[in-house]
Amino acid sequence: MSADEQGAAVPARRRVVLTGISSRAWEHPADRGALTALRELRGFDDVVKAFFGMWNERGFRLSYLASSIRVDHRQYPQVYGLYAEAAQALDLPELPDLFVRYSPTLGGRAIGIDRPFIVLDSGSVPQLDDDELRTLLGHEIGHLRSGHAVYKTILMILTRWAANLSWLPVGAIALRAIIAAMLEWWRKAELSADRAGLLANQDQGAALRLLMKLAGGGDLSQIDTAAFLEQAADYDGGGDLRDSFHKLRMTAWSSHPVPVARAADLRHWVDNGDYARILAGDYPRREGDGETSVSEEIKAAAESYREAFGRSQDPLVGLLRRLGDGASDVGEWAGGGAARARSWVNSAADAAGRAARGRNERHDDNA
């Protein structure tokens, strides 16, 4: 091979543009069921406004504008190019603002409602290659497209309330139960965003490498993908009942599934054929979003939990299966979480409406 041939640029890999794709294509069934229920709530806008009256989106944007780097064709131009490519694959018509903030960690976050934006940790830029970084940016675009930033902010506010009401046992217990349910929801939302990241970059190896780097840092020279997936299997099924309870303790109050569990779920999604079907053009379109059925999505969420329960090798899950039809019971209970969330937010909507009317009446009296 000549020197010219060795130095020739490798042609860019073409990615499929998923024209008109709905976020329902990548949303985990448990995530999608809850989102569908909340999107159809009457008065949910009142709840959001009530929550966000205590959370200034403009203040957050100004904070990042003042202390971070806004990415465009002049600042972090390579990152901007990868961001545009990820958005194009997911058919995002307009690029939200992207900021890089100083942090040695790997990761990012999606923030906002009216003008949502994405913040990327600066450690991600040198530690991720182009395909891994494109995957991470697609992950955050997935959060924005699904509207997860709204619910994550509500979760932050509820957590703050729980801390402030810790002296009041009844109020704290009720809020903790709601927070626990929302954290379970958010963990499924992270699985949804992992799928969006894969669809944005369309490289399974890069998606797994990103999760490996989140687990062990940016250097993969001594890391093996097959061994990492074996580690995921050991986490799922290894040990005894004591390990099962330790896993429950580790994850119950966490917003993210552990990296090995995320890798296993992403691989299962690919192996099921869903990823290939989407790339072949078989996916829900945005124009059909208004036709979704809450009851059907909640049933799909329950079925998803039953299926995961049925294939799990966890010792505690195995014991429950031997004791009876635990998969059916757990699936129905967990899948019904969307309906419970809907009921709770409906009550919150009424309360928010009453509070808003009360403030208006007091304003009129003082006028």
Side-chain angles (χ1 to χ4, degrees):
M1 182 181 292
S2 69
D4 289 342
E5 289 173 328
Q6 290 178 358
V10 177
R13 180 172 49 82
R14 293 181 64 86
R15 276 169 292 278
V16 177
V17 176
L18 302 168
T19 306
I21 190 170
S22 166
S23 62
R24 291 179 289 125
W26 61 72
E27 286 164 0
H28 185 283
D31 174 31
R32 191 170 63 243
L35 288 172
T36 301
L38 290 180
R39 285 166 184 157
E40 292 203 356
L41 278 175
R42 288 179 301 127
F44 185 58
D45 286 347
D46 291 333
V47 177
V48 172
K49 290 173 184 175
F51 275 123
F52 279 81
M54 297 169 286
W55 182 84
N56 192 330
E57 181 178 332
R58 295 178 66 89
F60 264 94
R61 179 180 292 275
L62 283 172
S63 173
Y64 285 109
L65 194 62
S67 59
S68 305
I69 302 297
R70 183 167 59 188
V71 176
D72 58 21
H73 64 282
R74 297 162 300 171
Q75 303 193 106
Y76 283 111
Q78 185 174 357
V79 175
Y80 184 73
L82 298 173
Y83 184 42
E85 291 169 2
Q88 181 185 34
L90 295 177
D91 196 25
L92 189 68
E94 184 177 347
L95 280 179
D97 282 342
L98 172 64
F99 295 93
V100 172
R101 66 150 193 170
Y102 173 71
S103 172
T105 59
L106 298 176
R109 61 206 47 80
I111 299 173
I113 300 178
D114 296 327
R115 293 176 59 206
F117 57 95
I118 292 172
V119 180
L120 187 67
D121 293 334
S122 61
S124 303
V125 179
Q127 296 186 67
L128 301 179
D129 66 27
D130 285 357
D131 284 322
E132 294 157 4
L133 188 52
R134 196 184 290 107
T135 301
L136 176 59
L137 291 166
H139 175 105
E140 297 305 332
I141 290 171
H143 277 315
L144 285 188
R145 284 284 309 277
S146 291
H148 289 150
V150 177
Y151 312 121
K152 182 64 177 287
T153 306
I154 291 175
L155 178 59
M156 290 164 51
I157 294 170
L158 286 173
T159 305
R160 235 177 265 139
W161 282 2
N164 292 336
L165 293 177
S166 58
W167 59 273
L168 188 63
V170 175
I173 290 170
L175 275 176
R176 286 177 196 278
I178 295 169
I179 291 169
M182 293 193 76
L183 283 170
E184 166 60 16
W185 176 3
W186 188 255
R187 289 190 290 271
K188 296 302 185 286
E190 286 299 323
L191 300 181
S192 299
D194 285 343
R195 298 171 183 184
L198 174 55
L199 291 170
N201 187 55
Q202 299 171 20
D203 184 333
Q204 299 176 48
L208 287 175
R209 291 198 309 272
L210 173 60
L211 294 171
M212 291 160 68
K213 287 186 175 182
L214 289 173
D219 181 12
L220 296 183
S221 62
Q222 301 184 65
I223 308 298
D224 180 77
T225 302
F228 185 70
L229 291 173
E230 289 174 12
Q231 184 179 331
D234 287 343
Y235 173 80
D236 180 42
D240 55 25
L241 288 175
R242 291 171 296 180
D243 297 289
S244 298
F245 286 111
H246 278 303
K247 283 187 283 187
L248 287 173
R249 179 181 57 82
M250 286 167 50
T251 58
W253 297 101
S254 173
S255 63
H256 286 60
V258 293
V260 293
R262 291 169 66 178
D265 184 86
L266 192 61
R267 174 57 65 89
H268 178 72
W269 186 65
V270 171
D271 290 344
N272 266 356
D274 293 327
Y275 171 63
R277 281 192 290 272
I278 291 173
L279 292 189
D282 182 10
Y283 53 81
R285 264 63 176 181
R286 287 194 289 270
E287 60 262 25
D289 284 348
E291 301 170 5
T292 54
S293 164
V294 174
S295 61
E296 289 301 316
E297 296 295 357
I298 290 175
K299 287 178 183 176
E303 181 58 34
S304 169
Y305 276 105
R306 279 197 294 269
E307 192 268 337
F309 192 88
R311 73 172 188 270
S312 175
Q313 299 302 308
D314 182 84
L316 178 59
V317 173
L319 174 62
L320 293 175
R321 279 200 300 262
R322 289 193 296 274
L323 291 176
D325 189 16
S328 176
D329 295 340
V330 171
E332 292 295 344
W333 177 84
R340 290 192 297 275
R342 177 178 180 157
S343 176
W344 173 76
V345 177
N346 228 344
S347 300
D350 291 340
R354 289 195 299 272
R357 287 193 295 273
R359 286 195 298 270
N360 291 336
E361 290 172 359
R362 287 194 297 274
H363 180 270
D364 292 340
D365 291 342
N366 294 328

